[in-house]
């Protein structure tokens, strides 16, 4: 059975705000996320998605 944690728990685990966790969930960048009313449930074994704010190093 797949285990889930809430977005506030994930935010605390990573040391970031809850909004920074919810945004990739809304953009479907984390596979397996379930929405329960206003709470997002993230699979415990889900990997952290790539940060879209970081620029590519080869950009000129």
């Amino acid at each position: 059975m797949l285990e889930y944690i809430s977005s506030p728990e994930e935010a605390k685990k990573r040391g970031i705000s809850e909004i920074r966790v919810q945004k990739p969930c809304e953009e479907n960048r984390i596979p397996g996320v379930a929405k329960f009313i206003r709470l997002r449930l993230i699979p415990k074994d889900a990997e952290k998605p790539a940060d879209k704010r970081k620029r590519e190093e080869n950009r000129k």
Side-chain angles (χ1 to χ4, degrees):
M1 184 174 184
L2 196 58
E3 293 184 35
Y4 290 91
I5 60 173
S6 67
S7 53
E9 291 173 317
E10 182 72 9
K12 187 175 180 181
K13 180 176 100 174
R14 293 186 187 174
I16 57 176
S17 71
E18 188 176 341
I19 293 171
R20 296 297 314 151
V21 172
Q22 289 177 350
K23 193 66 173 170
C25 293
E26 292 170 0
E27 295 172 350
N28 296 322
R29 293 185 356 206
I30 301 175
V33 172
K35 185 175 180 184
F36 182 72
I37 305 173
R38 293 178 61 193
L39 183 67
R40 293 202 177 2
L41 301 173
I42 302 166
K44 262 192 169 178
D45 60 352
E47 293 184 21
K48 182 179 173 182
D51 192 346
K52 290 175 67 175
R53 298 174 299 163
K54 293 185 180 179
R55 296 182 181 194
E56 294 177 23
E57 292 189 27
N58 295 334
R59 247 183 171 173
K60 293 182 181 181

